[in-house]
Amino acid sequence: MTEDNFELAVVQVPSPAQGEFLVKNLWLSIEAGIRTMMHEPDVEASKSTIPLLQKGEPVHSFTVGQIIQSRHPRFPKGSYVTGLCNWQEYFISDGARMQIVDADLAPVRYYLGIMGAMAAPAYFGLLDVGKITDGETVVVSAAAGSIGSVACQVAKLTGCRVVGITGSDEKVDWLVNELGIDAAVNYKKADNLQDCLKSACSGGGIDVFFDSVAGKSLEAVIDVMKVHGRILAYGALHGYDGGDSVWPTNYLKIIYKRLCVKGLSSLDYLNRLPEYHAQMSRWISEGKVRWRETVYEGIENAVPAWIGLFQGKNIGKMLVKLGDPEQIP
Amino acid sequence: MTEDNFELAVVQVPSPAQGEFLVKNLWLSIEAGIRTMMHEPDVEASKSTIPLLQKGEPVHSFTVGQIIQSRHPRFPKGSYVTGLCNWQEYFISDGARMQIVDADLAPVRYYLGIMGAMAAPAYFGLLDVGKITDGETVVVSAAAGSIGSVACQVAKLTGCRVVGITGSDEKVDWLVNELGIDAAVNYKKADNLQDCLKSACSGGGIDVFFDSVAGKSLEAVIDVMKVHGRILAYGALHGYDGGDSVWPTNYLKIIYKRLCVKGLSSLDYLNRLPEYHAQMSRWISEGKVRWRETVYEGIENAVPAWIGLFQGKNIGKMLVKLGDPEQIP
């Protein structure tokens, strides 16, 4: 995936019809998972479960925008909305799959990250599916990313020993010294990731792995998992761009160790977002969670941001700022 | 693995010391999983979780035998015992990890199969872990084998639609016309296993997969699984002999479909065997389950039986008969 795969187009903004509204996008979320929509239609990995982008279609992403014209009774002018939209500065919506966000609970751009639908499975996955408990050892991959950093902090607040896997010394430093997790491993400097994980876990083995990467790190973690450990499989960052390293080659150990591997999706937690927002905004206001963003400016920088995501250029949430809110009279 | 890897040895049978007893083995269980102990010590797949056989050591298997001399108060002469023993006609035991079996509940050789520790996870896995319910679609691999045929019948008795994957038309016939499952697919004749499974499942998708094989059949099943389906991973028959086909290459779909993959082991159900024996002997006496055995005679045929297992030569449980019980005065 290179810049040549993208094209910036200028189109006329239409006016909203009755039952519609016009949104000015303020913030664009840059998300790895969207990569899975960008396949040739014959690519096996994307068959049957993921809708594919057609050539010429705008790329999808979650955005936060402001309604600047409205002919829809439940979506008043001036309010902020989020949803899976496109890389666009303006768009017309009839409200389907759009949610109004509460700007009093948190800055609106937080709804693309720590308060967003993509981060919520870190919370519900660890607590409800992984059933993490005080004293357990939790490992998180892509730990300095937007979802990983939420997972680290949810596990830490639950009383777990938390070990992150990340890709730079700067991120290791941020995770350990600012987020306060117990240890972090820079996988790019680890000759033997298993051994690094073993010592980061104080030799005790891993109870729960929250994974957004798959591939070699998943393989190494499986080797260090305890019997009956749980793997929460939320993404396969290293596999999205056609890499063959996504598949763990030690499947037999899933059997020998009686591990549980459970796939997670944000789709399964959409109806529990209010519960998540309430808990997370409380933690934010109490200073119990920290949050970072890497911001690119302007829609023309969406592609560099996107490519930068796969190169690990972000700490925390990767965002593109598209515009400022308007003063609504 | 060939006959050349094995050697038959004749040794003196010792006498039991105080607290020991002498067992005459009557039946030898031939099990695929033992293959994982037969690696060079440097083979990755067997590291750290599976004890390896050393060169010259007898092969382990579950056996059923009769105590013909005893100097142990809890293991009287004449009684039948089972445990993980060796491919041996006679052996001395101090009773550690040996269980007395109840010959009134079922023929003693059944404790190596349908009443055995290896079959119990089919029952507990489907009911307690897979939580199968009436009306769900369950697929079973190695369906005509000893564990698969138990899984098929447990699922059928629970009210599920049951589809087996097996390797010959004779086995398809046995599964459908004698065990009464809904459909069976001969994977050796299937050009496209996914399509065969889809039609065998009436297009409805798979809720639960009980898998002892891994590899290509696991991959095909993952493609046909429903969202939130459950995979009970009990074995990797196709991978034990060093095949590279054990790893499913569609790991991403485990995430997209939010599947749950759970490794099973008979070790986790040893303390629930009495519960299993009670249920299974009831079903057997009521004629609700059927059972087949493929029997080789004499310890000199243990190796052909073992190699035959991986060639699919068995229907039902593969056993070697080592001897007849003695009249104990």
Side-chain angles (χ1 to χ4, degrees):
Chain A
M1 188 81 18
T2 67
E3 297 218 21
D4 294 343
N5 296 112
F6 298 86
E7 190 181 88
L8 190 64
V10 178
V11 296
Q12 188 69 36
V13 178
S15 290
Q18 186 58 41
E20 293 183 338
F21 51 88
L22 175 65
V23 179
K24 178 187 184 184
N25 265 338
L26 306 179
W27 295 93
L28 181 63
S29 168
I30 301 295
E31 283 142 20
I34 301 295
R35 179 62 182 82
T36 59
M37 298 183 175
M38 299 179 180
H39 282 290
E40 295 296 322
D42 63 344
V43 168
E44 170 61 23
S46 56
K47 257 192 216 157
S48 86
T49 45
I50 299 289
L52 293 185
L53 282 177
Q54 301 304 310
K55 208 169 166 177
E57 261 191 296
V59 183
H60 304 325
S61 272
F62 285 92
T63 65
V64 164
Q66 185 187 29
I67 297 175
I68 55 173
Q69 289 177 33
S70 180
R71 299 181 65 193
H72 192 300
R74 289 190 297 102
F75 288 87
K77 190 167 142 175
S79 54
Y80 298 96
V81 288
T82 189
L84 186 60
C85 303
N86 298 323
W87 292 10
Q88 276 178 229
E89 292 178 306
Y90 293 88
F91 68 96
I92 296 286
S93 171
D94 62 2
R97 292 181 298 278
M98 297 296 295
Q99 281 87 39
I100 292 183
V101 300
D102 183 348
D104 293 333
L105 219 51
V108 293
R109 66 182 192 280
Y110 278 30
Y111 289 93
L112 299 179
I114 193 167
M115 294 280 279
M118 297 298 289
Y123 176 84
F124 293 113
L126 286 167
L127 295 175
D128 286 8
V129 182
K131 297 187 192 305
I132 55 170
T133 55
D134 191 6
E136 287 194 309
T137 296
V138 175
V139 171
V140 176
S141 65
S146 62
I147 295 163
S149 66
V150 171
C152 284
Q153 294 179 90
V154 169
K156 198 67 212 157
L157 286 163
T158 309
C160 298
R161 178 179 180 85
V162 179
V163 175
I165 303 174
T166 190
S168 78
D169 289 343
E170 184 191 0
K171 292 175 184 177
V172 167
D173 179 64
W174 180 64
L175 287 164
V176 173
N177 296 317
E178 293 195 49
L179 290 199
I181 72 171
D182 299 280
V185 175
N186 178 352
Y187 72 87
K188 288 183 183 165
K189 284 193 172 172
D191 281 337
N192 183 322
L193 187 53
Q194 285 158 258
D195 288 346
C196 292
L197 286 169
K198 271 180 204 161
S199 65
C201 295
S202 297
I206 300 163
D207 294 288
V208 172
F209 181 38
F210 185 88
D211 184 32
S212 306
V213 175
K216 291 293 166 199
S217 55
L218 173 56
E219 216 171 276
V221 169
I222 286 175
D223 278 346
V224 190
M225 293 286 293
K226 291 184 191 170
V227 167
H228 291 297
R230 295 89 81 197
I231 295 172
L232 302 163
Y234 189 39
L237 198 60
H238 280 192
Y240 293 153
D241 218 3
D244 58 0
S245 61
V246 55
W247 331 118
T249 60
N250 48 1
Y251 175 80
L252 274 176
K253 287 185 185 164
I254 292 174
I255 306 179
Y256 297 161
K257 295 189 178 185
R258 291 90 92 189
L259 304 181
C260 180
V261 182
K262 178 72 179 77
L264 297 180
S265 166
S266 59
L267 296 176
D268 294 334
Y269 300 104
L270 293 179
N271 63 348
R272 297 181 69 183
L273 280 176
E275 177 186 341
Y276 177 70
H277 289 158
Q279 176 63 72
M280 200 48 70
S281 63
R282 199 176 312 128
W283 277 341
I284 292 169
S285 68
E286 293 168 356
K288 286 188 177 166
V289 295
R290 286 154 190 266
W291 175 243
R292 260 175 86 164
E293 289 159 344
T294 301
V295 176
Y296 285 57
E297 297 264 348
I299 195 162
E300 65 281 8
N301 281 311
V303 173
W306 166 258
I307 290 171
L309 185 73
F310 288 90
Q311 296 167 341
K313 288 194 176 162
N314 58 308
I315 294 192
K317 178 66 193 175
M318 183 73 104
L319 291 174
V320 177
K321 182 177 178 183
L322 297 182
D324 287 304
E326 299 196 357
Q327 290 303 327
I328 303 291
Chain B
M1 188 81 18
T2 67
E3 297 218 20
D4 295 342
N5 296 111
F6 299 86
E7 191 180 88
L8 189 64
V10 179
V11 296
Q12 188 69 35
V13 179
S15 290
Q18 187 58 41
E20 293 182 339
F21 51 89
L22 175 65
V23 179
K24 178 187 185 184
N25 264 338
L26 307 179
W27 296 93
L28 181 63
S29 167
I30 300 296
E31 282 142 20
I34 300 296
R35 178 63 182 83
T36 60
M37 298 183 175
M38 299 179 180
H39 281 290
E40 294 297 321
D42 62 345
V43 168
E44 170 61 24
S46 56
K47 257 191 215 158
S48 86
T49 46
I50 298 289
L52 292 185
L53 282 176
Q54 301 305 310
K55 208 171 167 179
E57 261 191 299
V59 183
H60 304 325
S61 273
F62 285 92
T63 64
V64 164
Q66 186 187 29
I67 298 175
I68 55 172
Q69 290 178 33
S70 181
R71 300 180 66 191
H72 192 299
R74 288 191 298 103
F75 288 87
K77 189 167 145 178
S79 56
Y80 297 97
V81 287
T82 190
L84 185 61
C85 304
N86 298 323
W87 292 11
Q88 277 178 228
E89 293 179 306
Y90 293 87
F91 67 97
I92 296 286
S93 170
D94 62 2
R97 291 182 297 281
M98 297 297 293
Q99 282 86 39
I100 292 181
V101 299
D102 184 349
D104 293 333
L105 219 51
V108 292
R109 66 182 191 280
Y110 278 31
Y111 289 93
L112 298 179
I114 193 166
M115 294 281 279
M118 297 298 289
Y123 176 85
F124 292 113
L126 286 166
L127 296 175
D128 286 8
V129 182
K131 296 189 194 303
I132 56 170
T133 55
D134 191 6
E136 288 194 309
T137 296
V138 175
V139 170
V140 176
S141 65
S146 61
I147 295 161
S149 67
V150 170
C152 284
Q153 295 178 90
V154 168
K156 200 66 213 158
L157 286 163
T158 309
C160 297
R161 178 179 180 85
V162 179
V163 174
I165 303 173
T166 191
S168 78
D169 289 343
E170 184 192 0
K171 292 175 184 177
V172 167
D173 179 65
W174 180 64
L175 287 164
V176 174
N177 296 318
E178 293 195 49
L179 290 200
I181 72 171
D182 299 280
V185 175
N186 178 351
Y187 72 89
K188 289 183 183 166
K189 284 193 173 172
D191 282 338
N192 184 322
L193 186 53
Q194 288 159 257
D195 288 347
C196 292
L197 286 170
K198 270 180 204 160
S199 65
C201 296
S202 299
I206 300 163
D207 294 287
V208 172
F209 181 38
F210 185 89
D211 184 31
S212 306
V213 176
K216 292 293 166 199
S217 55
L218 174 56
E219 214 171 276
V221 169
I222 286 174
D223 278 345
V224 191
M225 293 287 294
K226 290 184 191 170
V227 167
H228 291 297
R230 295 91 80 197
I231 295 172
L232 302 163
Y234 189 40
L237 198 61
H238 281 192
Y240 294 153
D241 217 3
D244 57 0
S245 61
V246 55
W247 331 118
T249 60
N250 48 1
Y251 176 79
L252 274 176
K253 287 185 186 165
I254 291 175
I255 305 178
Y256 297 161
K257 295 190 180 186
R258 291 92 91 191
L259 304 182
C260 180
V261 182
K262 178 72 179 76
L264 296 180
S265 166
S266 58
L267 296 175
D268 295 333
Y269 299 104
L270 294 179
N271 62 348
R272 297 182 70 184
L273 281 175
E275 178 186 340
Y276 177 70
H277 289 158
Q279 176 63 73
M280 199 48 72
S281 63
R282 199 176 313 126
W283 277 341
I284 292 169
S285 67
E286 293 169 354
K288 285 188 177 166
V289 295
R290 285 154 191 267
W291 176 245
R292 259 176 85 164
E293 290 158 344
T294 301
V295 176
Y296 286 57
E297 297 264 348
I299 195 160
E300 64 280 8
N301 281 311
V303 173
W306 165 259
I307 290 171
L309 184 74
F310 288 89
Q311 296 167 342
K313 288 194 176 165
N314 58 308
I315 295 192
K317 179 65 193 177
M318 183 73 103
L319 290 175
V320 177
K321 183 177 177 184
L322 297 181
D324 286 304
E326 299 195 358
Q327 290 305 325
I328 303 290

